[in-house]
């Protein structure tokens, strides 16, 4: 239903209807969520939220702009408090066009003189408009509207200005005759006597709207029984927020701390919800594939690194100092350089010593009896929560490998769900007797590999030299599509109590056995596996 039609329905439903004030997009949304079928775009509160007086100190286009945000944020009709119409009949008919263009359903104008003053500030000294001039304004507005259901409500200020019932009725009659769709009869008394007297005489000549700001103690049944059509709760959200803001600002200023505030204010998640953040997330999935969430990395760092002896007595290998800062800080910086900000570090041995700031930590408290895959599972569970099931690339790597950012750019290989880097210069490692995960690939490294899609056949530390094509560097990139696959494979492997100590190569081999393609990118160098004290010395010269 059109908003104009919905609003006309409120005026003519035959029941007492209610609309509530709003003064910006957020408060408009809150009004709609509370269940109101319409919104009052109050002149008082829109000017107040700008910090100015209700004396037409905001321009009419500023009001219009505010209304546009309110209308965009909601689906229920809005009636603008159009003050005196912001000028002559000519200004008013231009206003009508602009309101219609912005989806505003109705406007109310009051029979005072521009620039007006709020009715509750010395109302009885305020001059009223010439009746005929105001009639012409209403008629011009009605002639200007393009949508037949757009409503113009004429507000009679006779009581406010100190006139009696006779003047109020005379004016209402004139405005009704000029085409007004309803009369708003306003009163500044603390009792509803004036508006009830008016309604009694007016009967049902057209719908009557009231604003019980001053006679707030009146029971709503009184309005119902009198046959009013619409009640406007005119300023209460702004007033509620003033009280809350004053209290909160004072408290924060006094306490210089947020502890006692936090539970008494809306969480930022509620702010995001009201702003419609979720819709944007979903739209990004449709229109910005792969970019919904920034890529992330998991750094497996639960083990001690026993080979380093006393160096790892009070901290794990990942916290060993290299050129003045922990190994983990070097790794984090390299990831950051490659644009990967979200880093999840799995801690285990001496977990409290692992405290490089700015990283996400999860703990594998069973690190002594379990292996890398249990650690990885902890990390994926953590990402599942915070990343809403991910939806982006993830790199898994080890906490004892220093590397150049170049490695990460190699892993970016588009369109592949699983990518590993393999060092083709493996012979030296082998000859030095290093423990390593050797890789068997579909093709050896050669000049032609650039044009060949090389895939991994198997990883292992027990591979015959003749079959080795390179050394796995410990990096696995998983795409958003690969994420659920890896999760299932991991759950399968870990469902067997015998396999709690399994490592990353076991997972990768299982992925291959299940028919997944693991893309191999060959490279030489640009990384350093830190296992021994000699490696540590080499790390001192390593240039990320
Ligand atoms: C407004 O909300 O701006 C009104 C109603 O015009 S009142 O403040 O009661 O005049
Ligand atoms: Mg007003």
């Amino acid at each position: 239903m059109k908003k104009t039609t919905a609003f006309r329905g409120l005026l003519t439903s035959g029941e007492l209807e209610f609309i509530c004030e709003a003064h910006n997009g957020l408060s408009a949304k809150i009004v709609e969520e509370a269940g109101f079928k319409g919104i009052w775009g109050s002149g008082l509160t829109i000017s107040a939220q700008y910090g100015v007086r209700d004396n037409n100190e905001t321009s009419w286009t500023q009001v219009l702009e505010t209304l546009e945000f309110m209308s965009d944020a909601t689906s229920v009709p809005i009636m603008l408090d159009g003050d005196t119409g912001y000028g002559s009949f000519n200004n008013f008919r231009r206003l009508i066009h602009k309101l219609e263009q912005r989806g505003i359903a109705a406007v109310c104008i009051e029979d005072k003189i521009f620039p007006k003053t709020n009715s509750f500030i010395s109302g009885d000294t305020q001059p009223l408009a010439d009746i005929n001039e105001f009639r012409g304004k209403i008629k011009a507005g009605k002639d200007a509207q393009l949508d037949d259901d757009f409503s113009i409500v004429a507000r009679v200020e006779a009581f406010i200005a100190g006139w009696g019932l006779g003047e109020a009725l005379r004016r209402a009659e004139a405005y009704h005759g000029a085409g007004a769709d309803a009369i708003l009869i306003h009163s500044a008394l603390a009792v509803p006597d004036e508006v009830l007297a008016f309604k009694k005489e007016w009967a049902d000549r057209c719908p009557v709207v009231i604003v019980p700001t001053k006679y707030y103690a009146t029971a709503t049944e009184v309005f119902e029984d009198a046959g009013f059509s619409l009640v406007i709760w005119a300023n209460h959200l702004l007033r509620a927020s003033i009280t809350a803001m004053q209290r909160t600002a004072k408290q924060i200023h006094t306490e210089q701390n947020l502890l006692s505030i936090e539970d008494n204010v809306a969480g930022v998640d509620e702010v995001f919800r009201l702003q419609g953040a979720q819709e944007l997330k979903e739209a990004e999935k449709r229109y910005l594939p792969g970019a919904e969430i920034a890529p992330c990395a998991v750094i497996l760092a639960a083990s001690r690194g026993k080979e380093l002896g006393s160096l790892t007595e009070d901290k794990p290998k990942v916290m060993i100092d290299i050129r003045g800062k922990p190994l983990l800080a070097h790794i984090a910086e390299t990831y950051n350089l490659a644009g990967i900000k979200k880093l999840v570090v799995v801690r285990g041995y001496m977990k409290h010593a692992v405290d490089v700031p700015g990283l996400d930590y999860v703990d594998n408290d069973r690190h002594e009896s379990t292996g890398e895959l249990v650690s990885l599972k902890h990390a994926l569970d953590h990402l599942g929560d915070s990343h809403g099931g991910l939806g982006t690339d993830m790199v898994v790597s080890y906490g004892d490998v220093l590397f150049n950012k170049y490695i990460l750019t190699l892993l970016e290989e588009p369109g592949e769900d699983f990518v590993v880097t393999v060092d083709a210069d493996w012979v030296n490692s082998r000859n030095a007797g290093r423990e390593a995960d050797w890789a068997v690939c579909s093709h050896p490294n050669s000049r032609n590999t650039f044009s060949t899609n090389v895939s991994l056949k198997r990883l292992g530390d027990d591979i015959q030299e003749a079959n080795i094509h390179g050394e796995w560097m410990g990096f696995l990139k998983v795409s958003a599509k690969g994420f659920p696959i890896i999760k299932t494979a991991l759950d399968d492997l870990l469902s067997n109590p015998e396999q709690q100590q399994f490592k990353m190569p076991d997972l990768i081999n299982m992925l291959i056995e299940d028919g997944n393609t693991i893309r191999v990118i060959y490279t030489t160098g640009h990384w350093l596996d830190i296992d021994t004290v000699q490696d540590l010395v080499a790390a001192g010269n390593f240039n990320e």
Side-chain angles (χ1 to χ4, degrees):
M1 194 194 289
K2 287 187 301 180
K3 288 182 176 179
T4 50
T5 315
F7 187 80
R8 188 62 69 77
L10 291 180
L11 287 178
T12 59
S13 71
E15 308 214 332
L16 185 61
E17 305 280 3
F18 304 89
I19 63 174
C20 180
E21 166 265 333
H23 45 273
N24 53 28
L26 184 72
S27 55
K29 185 142 193 175
I30 287 171
V31 169
E32 177 170 11
E33 286 190 351
F36 282 101
K37 292 189 241 169
I39 295 166
W40 170 241
S42 158
L44 170 63
T45 67
I46 289 175
S47 51
Q49 60 88 34
Y50 279 121
V52 299
R53 289 168 285 235
D54 188 13
N55 290 69
N56 295 117
E57 289 184 354
T58 51
S59 72
W60 72 278
T61 52
Q62 287 169 329
V63 172
L64 204 61
E65 191 163 318
T66 309
L67 281 182
E68 190 170 1
F69 280 104
M70 292 166 61
S71 182
D72 287 348
T74 52
S75 62
V76 293
I78 299 173
M79 171 158 65
L80 168 65
D81 170 6
D83 293 341
T84 59
Y86 310 118
S88 73
F89 79 89
N90 189 38
N91 304 90
F92 184 50
R93 58 184 184 169
R94 186 164 161 73
L95 173 69
I96 300 287
H97 281 312
K98 296 294 146 192
L99 291 178
E100 285 196 301
Q101 285 166 2
R102 281 158 180 76
I104 305 304
V107 64
C108 174
I109 48 169
E110 61 199 65
D111 53 354
K112 293 205 300 230
I113 314 280
F114 178 90
K116 41 77 37 130
T117 297
N118 185 274
S119 303
F120 301 143
I121 299 176
S122 312
D124 54 358
T125 65
Q126 296 183 13
L128 294 185
D130 174 81
I131 292 190
N132 286 326
E133 188 264 338
F134 200 69
R135 271 174 57 90
K137 201 180 271 185
I138 293 166
K139 189 156 176 15
K142 289 309 291 180
D143 287 347
Q145 74 185 57
L146 299 174
D147 178 342
D148 283 347
D149 285 344
F150 186 89
S151 296
I152 296 181
V153 175
R155 166 164 158 181
V156 175
E157 290 279 285
F159 291 138
I160 297 289
W163 298 86
L165 179 59
E167 182 66 12
L169 287 166
R170 194 166 75 89
R171 286 178 172 266
E173 190 59 60
Y175 308 155
H176 177 44
D181 298 289
I183 296 295
L184 187 157
I185 185 71
H186 206 12
S187 169
L189 296 187
V191 288
D193 299 9
E194 287 177 335
V195 298
L196 290 174
F198 175 87
K199 182 67 179 76
K200 195 159 171 232
E201 287 299 318
W202 183 257
D204 295 319
R205 273 176 267 183
C206 76
V208 179
V209 182
I210 51 171
V211 186
T213 304
K214 291 287 182 181
Y215 46 99
Y216 62 85
T218 309
T220 301
E221 297 82 67
V222 173
F223 306 141
E224 241 159 12
D225 294 346
F228 289 110
S229 296
L230 186 66
V231 168
I232 299 174
W233 311 120
N235 44 47
H236 301 83
L237 294 202
L238 180 92
R239 288 164 59 194
S241 63
I242 288 174
T243 308
M245 288 193 286
Q246 285 171 332
R247 196 187 300 132
T248 307
K250 212 170 172 77
Q251 199 167 343
I252 296 176
H253 180 255
T254 309
E255 297 180 6
Q256 298 191 338
N257 181 279
L258 299 173
L259 205 60
S260 55
I261 293 294
E262 187 59 27
D263 290 343
N264 298 317
V265 296
V268 288
D269 282 350
E270 177 60 359
V271 180
F272 300 150
R273 187 192 68 76
L274 285 160
Q275 289 173 307
Q278 186 58 30
E279 192 280 336
L280 179 57
K281 237 189 202 172
E282 276 150 27
E284 280 174 347
K285 276 189 208 143
R286 284 198 303 280
Y287 303 125
L288 209 55
E292 313 89 58
I293 310 163
C296 64
V298 172
I299 301 164
L300 302 172
S303 65
R304 170 179 171 177
K306 261 204 249 67
E307 309 77 7
L308 293 174
S310 61
L311 286 174
T312 58
E313 236 158 46
D314 58 348
K315 56 180 174 292
K317 186 156 57 166
V318 78
M319 290 305 285
I320 281 193
D321 186 279
I322 292 172
R323 283 177 279 129
K325 60 187 175 201
L327 173 54
L328 181 57
H330 287 274
I331 293 172
E333 265 173 35
T334 308
Y335 271 116
N336 289 169
L337 276 174
I340 301 180
K341 255 192 305 193
K342 186 171 180 73
L343 305 177
V344 181
V345 180
V346 187
R347 304 183 294 194
Y349 175 76
M350 290 281 171
K351 65 181 179 185
H352 297 300
V354 184
D355 57 0
V356 173
L359 311 179
D360 280 16
Y361 291 105
V362 294
D363 298 331
N364 176 7
D365 288 326
R366 292 188 300 130
H367 63 95
E368 277 183 17
S369 59
T370 63
E372 294 158 15
L373 294 190
V374 169
S375 290
L376 179 63
K377 169 116 178 84
H378 282 294
L380 297 198
D381 288 349
H382 170 80
L383 282 169
D385 289 347
S386 63
H387 263 45
L390 227 64
T392 182
D393 283 355
M394 167 181 71
V395 176
V396 183
S397 71
Y398 290 114
D400 62 355
V401 175
L402 266 181
F403 58 97
N404 188 284
K405 129 176 179 264
Y406 170 68
I407 301 296
L408 298 174
T409 59
L410 293 178
L411 287 165
E412 272 169 21
E413 193 71 9
E416 303 284 348
D417 290 333
F418 303 102
V419 185
V420 293
T421 45
V422 168
D423 195 329
D425 189 10
W426 57 276
V427 178
N428 288 340
S429 276
R430 182 86 177 179
N431 290 345
R434 291 188 75 100
E435 273 188 27
D437 296 306
W438 310 111
V440 185
C441 306
S442 60
H443 305 75
N445 182 40
S446 80
R447 284 179 194 283
N448 295 334
T449 51
F450 283 115
S451 55
T452 316
N453 274 353
V454 182
S455 59
L456 189 66
K457 295 282 174 207
R458 201 176 118 71
L459 281 182
D461 53 10
D462 54 351
I463 292 173
Q464 297 274 314
E465 200 157 313
N467 297 328
I468 294 175
H469 293 118
E471 179 178 356
W472 179 53
M473 294 156 59
F475 294 87
L476 170 67
K477 188 207 77 174
V478 183
S479 75
K481 230 169 91 219
F483 189 74
I485 299 173
I486 205 176
K487 262 195 127 167
T488 311
L490 199 55
D491 287 343
D492 269 10
L493 277 171
L494 294 178
S495 65
N496 183 343
E498 309 275 287
Q499 300 181 165
Q500 301 306 297
Q501 302 206 342
F502 271 29
K503 297 182 166 185
M504 285 299 291
D506 299 308
L507 176 67
I508 292 173
N509 287 335
M510 175 160 171
L511 289 170
I512 297 168
E513 280 159 31
D514 286 349
N516 297 289
T517 301
I518 315 287
R519 175 87 151 92
V520 169
I521 310 286
Y522 281 119
T523 183
T524 52
H526 301 289
W527 70 296
L528 187 64
D529 192 4
I530 298 173
D531 289 333
T532 63
V533 176
Q534 287 93 307
D535 295 336
L536 268 181
V537 174
N541 298 319
F542 186 86
N543 205 347
E544 304 105 288

